[in-house]
């Protein structure tokens, strides 16, 4: 797993993380779109249909409505944050307008996935919590879903990684 902050054309320092796997670009694409299997079982709505919206939440700590704005099989997935509410920061809408971009690149012996959240920067109040969340959900859970067929999403019932985050950062 490689994690860094990269500059985009707008000169924002966006959060990004990259992973490399031996699976094909199409297998990576399919795993990304199976969001309930790596991020949260609580997601409502279609996550793999262009121009459709879906809803993610963890208790009242984080509520988010996403729109699928780009689907290029085996190459790219992009979501736009339509609505967002964080209970633990002053600006609850920090993510609104952000793009969550999954770039898929074929390698000689596998695939490189680079996830970038355009708009999530070190200047965001939620940055440390969000960085920890994405490091886990992309770098661990999505990686495991791609490589083993089983991710570690936040469960509908019981405690998952979101509870660990909430405890670590005193968000309860």
């Amino acid at each position: 797993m490689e994690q860094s902050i990269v500059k985009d054309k707008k000169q924002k320092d966006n959060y990004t993380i990259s992973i490399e796997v031996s699976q094909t670009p199409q297998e990576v694409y399919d795993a990304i779109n199976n969001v309930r299997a790596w991020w949260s079982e609580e997601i409502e709505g279609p996550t793999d249909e262009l121009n459709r919206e879906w809803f993610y939440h963890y208790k009242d700590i984080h509520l988010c409505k996403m729109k699928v704005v780009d689907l290029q099989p085996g190459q790219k997935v992009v979501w736009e944050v339509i609505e967002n509410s964080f209970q633990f920061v002053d600006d609850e809408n920090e993510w609104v307008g952000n793009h969550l971009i999954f770039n898929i690149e074929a390698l000689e012996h596998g695939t490189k996935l680079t996830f970038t959240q355009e708009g999530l920067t070190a200047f965001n109040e939620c940055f440390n919590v969000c960085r920890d969340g994405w490091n886990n959900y992309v770098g661990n859970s999505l990686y495991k879903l791609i490589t083993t067929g089983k991710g570690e999403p936040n469960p509908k019932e019981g405690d998952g990684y979101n509870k660990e985050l909430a405890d670590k950062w005193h968000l309860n």
Side-chain angles (χ1 to χ4, degrees):
M1 174 175 66
E2 171 188 324
Q3 177 192 335
S4 63
I5 295 180
V6 295
K7 298 261 186 193
D8 74 0
K9 293 175 186 165
K10 298 174 190 160
Q11 296 300 307
K12 290 182 182 176
D13 297 327
N14 294 306
Y15 168 83
T16 190
I17 184 172
S18 295
I19 57 175
E20 292 185 13
V21 297
S22 60
Q23 285 69 24
T24 67
Q26 188 61 44
E27 289 172 307
V28 171
Y29 176 85
D30 292 342
I32 293 164
N33 285 307
N34 189 2
V35 185
R36 289 170 191 82
W38 64 267
W39 187 4
S40 176
E41 295 176 350
E42 292 277 349
I43 289 172
E44 300 167 20
T47 61
D48 59 351
E49 297 177 27
L50 191 60
N51 296 318
R52 295 293 302 269
E53 294 179 357
W54 52 273
F55 181 70
Y56 161 85
H57 71 94
Y58 176 66
K59 299 184 179 183
D60 64 346
I61 294 174
H62 185 198
L63 298 96
C64 186
K65 184 187 283 185
M66 302 276 194
K67 181 176 183 177
V68 180
V69 295
D70 194 358
L71 288 175
Q72 298 175 36
Q75 298 178 6
K76 190 175 199 177
V77 174
V78 181
W79 307 327
E80 181 178 358
V81 181
I82 304 300
E83 297 174 14
N84 192 72
S85 176
F86 287 122
Q87 158 269 0
F88 58 94
V89 297
D90 290 334
D91 179 4
E92 295 180 355
N93 299 306
E94 275 189 337
W95 279 20
V96 173
N98 283 199
H99 287 91
L100 286 68
I101 303 165
F102 298 83
N103 280 307
I104 304 164
E105 177 186 351
L107 302 174
E108 186 175 343
H109 298 291
T111 304
K112 179 177 182 178
L113 168 62
T114 301
F115 169 81
T116 301
Q117 183 171 343
E118 284 185 351
L120 178 58
T121 73
F123 297 106
N124 291 104
E125 190 177 354
C126 78
F127 182 77
N128 291 328
V129 176
C130 295
R131 179 196 58 216
D132 283 0
W134 288 132
N135 284 350
N136 175 71
Y137 288 115
V138 174
N140 175 50
S141 185
L142 180 55
Y143 177 84
K144 286 180 178 175
L145 179 62
I146 295 166
T147 59
T148 71
K150 182 154 176 50
E152 296 178 357
N154 208 57
K156 276 188 181 182
E157 309 232 351
D159 294 331
Y161 188 74
N162 280 348
K163 169 97 168 73
E164 290 178 39
L165 273 179
D167 290 347
K168 175 182 178 182
W169 293 100
H170 310 289
L171 306 179
N172 295 328

